[in-house]
Amino acid sequence: MNEYINTKRERERERERERKSRMKGKSRLFTIGLVSAWYSSNIGVLLLNKYLLSNYGFKYPIFLTMCHMTACSLLSYVAIAWLKMVPLQTIRSRVQFFKISALSLIFCVSVVFGNISLRYLPVSFNQAIGATTPFFTAVFAYIMTFKREAWLTYLTLVPVVTGVVIASGGEPSFHLFGFIICVAATAARALKSVLQGILLSSEGEKLNSMNLLLYMAPMAVVFLLPATLIMEENVVGITLALARDDKKIVWYLLFNSTLAYFVNLTNFLVTKHTSALTLQVLGNAKGAVAVVVSILIFRNPVSVTGMMGYSLTVLGVILYSEAKKRSK
């Protein structure tokens, strides 16, 4: 009798181990799928932006950004209000509304400037400059909060900046205006990150990234609409005329705008199912993958000096991440 009971218990334990093993396997596959979707959407929107603004000749970066923000507004509402992917968080005060508006304006500047830079710079060089975000983040954090990092952390920023200087000197397609605009976009992205931590720091004001996008995206459209009407005159008429000659432009814009939303969605999901540190590591690798893929697709000329500079920048970013982790 005891032998029968022990055998039954052993079988139950075995079934439980098999069940846990299957769940772990499914969870691993789900995470791999999420990371793949995150890579695909990030690199896809970057390459498609480059193709539209440079190769295709659609020279309207503000309008393109407005299309992105419109898609983010609509799809964020669908994901939160209809699909209930995350609980809806409300804006609780007029002060919080103005704080989110300020973040939205800086977010607009970073995205528009980033898109403008793609008209003049190859994706590989654009990514090299974008990798200097930790440098600007550290600078703004010190200026605005007087937050000091360990000296080792600041030391790791030296190869980050040095790498971009070397890459700039060895870049065959270097364009001064494009370089300045790309640096400004990178600085604005870092400023938004620091300000977000300052402005939405209290428990009552914190929003998860999907809810923040739900409120920031429509505000961005409000900021971008007058800008595109004034600075990109008759862009809607020109786009409609283009669509009559080549219907592919409509599909390009729709797909590109949807992809821009999925960048934010997969960013949130990867962080939720892994960690912010994992996302940071993946981000470091993403830049290198984007560089290789863009060179293969657009065949822009690269120099050994430029690649050495970019490699030094990536190494600096990895060291910076490691130093930040150890200082906590």
Side-chain angles (χ1 to χ4, degrees):
M1 186 68 177
N2 287 339
E3 189 177 339
Y4 171 76
I5 292 170
N6 289 335
T7 304
K8 188 178 179 181
R9 285 176 179 170
E10 185 60 38
R11 284 175 181 170
E12 286 174 354
R13 282 197 290 267
E14 184 63 33
R15 278 197 294 269
E16 183 63 21
R17 281 195 293 267
E18 287 178 2
R19 189 181 67 82
K20 286 182 179 178
S21 178
R22 281 196 299 270
M23 285 179 65
K24 191 179 286 186
K26 287 179 181 177
S27 177
R28 191 178 293 115
L29 282 173
F30 179 72
T31 304
I32 291 170
L34 268 183
V35 170
S36 300
W38 182 80
Y39 264 95
S40 301
S41 57
N42 269 272
I43 295 173
V45 77
L46 179 67
L47 296 179
L48 195 49
N49 282 349
K50 174 63 179 176
Y51 174 75
L52 285 170
L53 294 167
S54 184
N55 296 59
Y56 188 85
F58 187 78
K59 299 178 180 179
Y60 305 102
I62 303 175
F63 180 73
L64 182 63
T65 306
M66 193 176 75
C67 290
H68 289 180
M69 293 301 104
T70 303
C72 286
S73 302
L74 296 172
L75 294 173
S76 291
Y77 182 79
V78 170
I80 295 173
W82 290 2
L83 301 179
K84 311 288 185 185
M85 292 187 70
V86 294
L88 176 65
Q89 295 172 289
T90 56
I91 295 177
R92 299 187 179 186
S93 66
R94 188 177 295 179
V95 172
Q96 188 184 16
F97 173 81
F98 283 118
K99 287 177 179 180
I100 295 171
S101 299
L103 289 174
S104 180
L105 182 59
I106 297 167
F107 181 56
C108 282
V109 171
S110 69
V111 178
V112 170
F113 278 22
N115 286 339
I116 291 172
S117 72
L118 286 171
R119 283 186 59 190
Y120 303 98
L121 301 176
V123 173
S124 52
F125 190 42
N126 178 282
Q127 288 295 286
I129 298 168
T132 61
T133 302
F135 168 76
F136 289 104
T137 302
V139 170
F140 286 128
Y142 180 74
I143 292 171
M144 302 177 78
T145 66
F146 300 105
K147 181 185 175 184
R148 291 189 178 185
E149 302 286 353
W151 279 108
L152 182 62
T153 306
Y154 287 122
L155 194 63
T156 60
L157 293 172
V158 174
V160 172
V161 178
T162 305
V164 170
V165 172
I166 294 170
S168 302
E171 175 54 52
S173 307
F174 182 83
H175 191 285
L176 182 60
F177 177 73
F179 173 77
I180 292 169
I181 289 293
C182 193
V183 169
T186 306
R189 194 158 52 242
L191 178 60
K192 184 248 175 189
S193 176
V194 173
L195 275 178
Q196 186 173 325
I198 298 169
L199 297 179
L200 303 178
S201 57
S202 67
E203 284 302 317
E205 291 183 331
K206 282 183 180 177
L207 299 172
N208 64 49
S209 59
M210 287 189 72
N211 274 277
L212 187 59
L213 184 67
L214 174 67
Y215 295 117
M216 281 177 53
M219 292 177 187
V221 174
V222 172
F223 291 134
L224 292 167
L225 183 58
T228 192
L229 291 175
I230 295 167
M231 300 175 70
E232 297 175 341
E233 195 176 349
N234 197 30
V235 63
V236 176
I238 293 167
T239 305
L240 291 173
L242 270 172
R244 281 193 289 271
D245 295 334
D246 183 7
K247 286 185 172 58
K248 285 189 293 185
I249 184 64
V250 176
W251 296 109
Y252 283 147
L253 289 174
L254 285 173
F255 179 66
N256 192 24
S257 300
T258 305
L259 209 56
Y261 171 71
F262 276 99
V263 168
N264 294 281
L265 176 62
T266 54
N267 190 83
F268 171 79
L269 291 174
V270 169
T271 306
K272 181 182 177 182
H273 289 278
T274 56
S275 67
L277 182 62
T278 302
L279 190 71
Q280 197 173 44
V281 173
L282 291 170
N284 294 338
K286 182 209 73 178
V289 174
V291 167
V292 173
V293 173
S294 70
I295 291 170
L296 291 174
I297 292 175
F298 298 113
R299 303 194 179 280
N300 55 283
V302 290
S303 66
V304 175
T305 305
M307 291 309 294
M308 283 175 60
Y310 178 67
S311 300
L312 183 60
T313 295
V314 172
L315 177 62
V317 171
I318 293 169
L319 292 173
Y320 173 82
S321 301
E322 188 64 29
K324 283 274 287 182
K325 187 171 68 174
R326 290 188 178 186
S327 66
K328 288 181 180 178

